[in-house]
Amino acid sequence: MNEAKTKHDWSLDEIEALFNLPFNDLMFQAQTVHRQQFDPNKVQVSTLLSVKTGACSEDCGYCSQSAKNATDLEKEKLLPLDEVKRAATDAKEKGATRFCMGAAWRNPTDKNLERVVEMIRAVHDMGMETCVTLGMLTESQAQSLKDAGLDYYNHNLDTSPEFYGNVVTTRTYQDRLDTLARVRDRGINVCSGGILGMGESRRDRASMLRELSNLPKHPESVPINMLVQVEGTPLYGVEELDPFEFIRTIAVTRILMPQSYVRLSAGRTEMSDEMQALCFMAGANSMFYGERLLTTENPNADADRQLFDRLGLNFETSQELQATEKECDSKKKVRMEIEFG
Ligand code: SAM
Ligand code: DTB
Ligand code: SF4
């Protein structure tokens, strides 16, 4: 399959049919698609830093950082630039190619955005890809981020439109789609995915993936998070998702969005090595690397290196990343020529 054949009109029935395949058939199909697009033994790694922590006005039911959730998280104001630079230097030395900065905001104020812009410029100058996740954006804020040289903006749909109201009430699904469109329109790469294990049904998982895969252009990165259950949040204690269902969702994501990086995101600390290996086999080719996500734990770097050694996996280097991006661009050019002559 090449990009010319990438579908953007998936129906819910078609996606559910993929979910319903026998596990081996689904894995085979996902791995076949994966190998047509990517080196199956390379994984892109990003490191996260929470640059502003807690006291968020939103009511996301999964989140440790909502002021409405009674968690024992320590709040922190926007970090000074030199602290961000130190963390980015450390991440680069450990092999991360992308540095992702997250802030617990409903949306940034223009003043705060200026400070984040300085952070983006500094990390960019260190030779790393930059990603930020700051909540909702206006058009002019998206433009400021583009002007700062931002590579990726992360903004998740989180779940299906149908299940969404059970999880968040302070912003709408449409708000999220609007922010994604503003980011896309400004020419910033889109990183958007969701969370599994919040009590949603298989149909909800299929519906979330339909939203993502039917966007006019697929997100370049699709993070699939397993809910990290945080004490004090409304979703604490929800029934855990069957690991095979998580792996199936990764496989379906890979089939629906063949050219996207599919990120095995939050929740790896609770996953066995075998489960992670199956996620990579299902087509995940990106992950968060480093001891912390935003406010919760991630496996330590040594454990990840050992796992990679046992599986014969390698980190994708910056040079390889650029080569993959160039290759994607030339495939895009061919597609444009086919579509528009
Ligand atoms: N405040 C911004 C926003 O919500 O857009 C950015 C930061 S927010 C923490 C980024 C994403 O992290 C959320 O959209 C959600 O998908 C994910 N996330 C947050 N808490 C999580 C948890 N406990 N388990 C899994 N994913 C989580
Ligand atoms: C994403 O999809 N997952 C990351 C990133 N985008 C910003 C965040 C995961 C957060 C997990 C819970 C925490 O550490 O607070
Ligand atoms: Fe705030 Fe983002 Fe957490 Fe929602 S997910 S409460 S917007 S930090």
Side-chain angles (χ1 to χ4, degrees), residues 62-63 65 103-105 133-135 154-156 158 171 195 225-228 230 266 294:
Y62 47 77
C63 188
Q65 307 202 65
W105 291 321
T133 179
L134 315 171
N154 167 248
H155 197 64
N156 289 339
D158 279 353
R171 74 168 73 146
I195 310 177
N225 297 274
M226 179 73 105
L227 174 70
V228 179
V230 180
L294 291 172

Side-chain angles (χ1 to χ4, degrees), residues 43 45 94 268 272-274 276-277 280 287 289-291 299-315:
V43 176
V45 293
K94 289 191 171 133
R268 285 199 303 116
S272 67
D273 287 349
E274 293 80 359
Q276 293 186 60
F280 293 126
M287 69 174 194
Y289 173 63
E291 281 74 30
N300 74 46
D302 287 343
D304 279 341
R305 287 195 175 276
Q306 277 173 26
L307 177 61
F308 273 44
D309 282 349
R310 287 166 71 203
L311 300 176
L313 290 176
N314 292 300
F315 287 178

Side-chain angles (χ1 to χ4, degrees), residues 38-294:
F38 292 100
D39 178 337
N41 300 310
K42 288 266 152 68
V43 176
Q44 183 276 331
V45 293
S46 300
T47 293
L48 275 169
L49 177 70
S50 179
V51 296
K52 186 269 170 183
T53 307
C56 182
S57 61
E58 299 295 272
D59 70 352
C60 311
Y62 47 77
C63 188
S64 64
Q65 307 202 65
S66 165
K68 298 187 169 72
N69 297 340
T71 62
D72 44 10
L73 178 77
E74 271 193 36
K75 296 171 217 138
E76 225 169 333
K77 292 206 174 104
L78 193 55
L79 292 182
L81 184 60
D82 58 341
E83 228 172 283
V84 174
K85 281 195 201 162
R86 257 203 309 276
T89 307
D90 188 46
K92 189 177 178 195
E93 276 167 8
K94 289 191 171 133
T97 50
R98 190 178 306 163
F99 194 64
C100 180
M101 296 167 270
W105 291 321
R106 172 177 167 78
N107 53 268
T109 61
D110 288 346
K111 202 162 150 236
N112 280 333
L113 196 76
E114 272 174 39
R115 294 197 38 209
V116 175
V117 159
E118 283 174 25
M119 295 173 187
I120 293 167
R121 291 218 163 97
V123 175
H124 175 83
D125 289 349
M126 288 166 47
M128 293 180 90
E129 286 193 324
T130 53
C131 175
V132 293
T133 179
L134 315 171
M136 294 186 284
L137 296 179
T138 63
E139 269 174 41
S140 76
Q141 289 179 326
Q143 185 62 51
S144 305
L145 292 172
K146 176 68 185 170
D147 295 342
L150 179 71
D151 295 300
Y152 289 81
Y153 194 80
N154 167 248
H155 197 64
N156 289 339
L157 291 182
D158 279 353
T159 188
S160 66
E162 299 78 21
F163 192 72
Y164 183 80
N166 299 321
V167 182
V168 184
T169 68
T170 48
R171 74 168 73 146
T172 65
Y173 209 78
Q174 190 58 47
D175 288 334
R176 289 179 188 260
L177 291 168
D178 290 346
T179 291
L180 289 181
R182 286 180 192 129
V183 169
R184 179 57 87 205
D185 286 351
R186 299 274 76 78
I188 300 169
N189 291 315
V190 169
C191 171
S192 187
I195 310 177
L196 312 184
M198 299 196 292
E200 77 288 344
S201 63
R202 176 177 277 187
R203 198 166 177 81
D204 289 313
R205 290 184 280 279
S207 172
M208 174 183 86
L209 293 182
R210 180 177 60 167
E211 291 292 323
L212 291 166
S213 58
N214 288 348
L215 287 169
K217 191 173 172 199
H218 291 164
E220 282 75 6
S221 280
V222 183
I224 303 294
N225 297 274
M226 179 73 105
L227 174 70
V228 179
Q229 297 205 6
V230 180
E231 219 173 325
T233 59
L235 289 178
Y236 183 68
V238 75
E239 192 183 341
E240 282 179 19
L241 186 69
D242 174 5
F244 289 121
E245 185 66 13
F246 185 91
I247 299 160
R248 278 182 184 274
T249 311
I250 298 263
V252 174
T253 309
R254 167 51 65 222
I255 294 166
L256 300 184
M257 291 173 276
Q259 279 92 25
S260 304
Y261 278 81
V262 176
R263 183 170 311 122
L264 174 55
S265 301
R268 285 199 303 116
T269 308
E270 286 77 31
M271 292 177 196
S272 67
D273 287 349
E274 293 80 359
M275 177 172 173
Q276 293 186 60
L278 282 172
C279 289
F280 293 126
M281 198 185 270
N285 61 346
S286 170
M287 69 174 194
F288 288 120
Y289 173 63
E291 281 74 30
R292 262 192 114 55
L293 294 165
L294 291 172

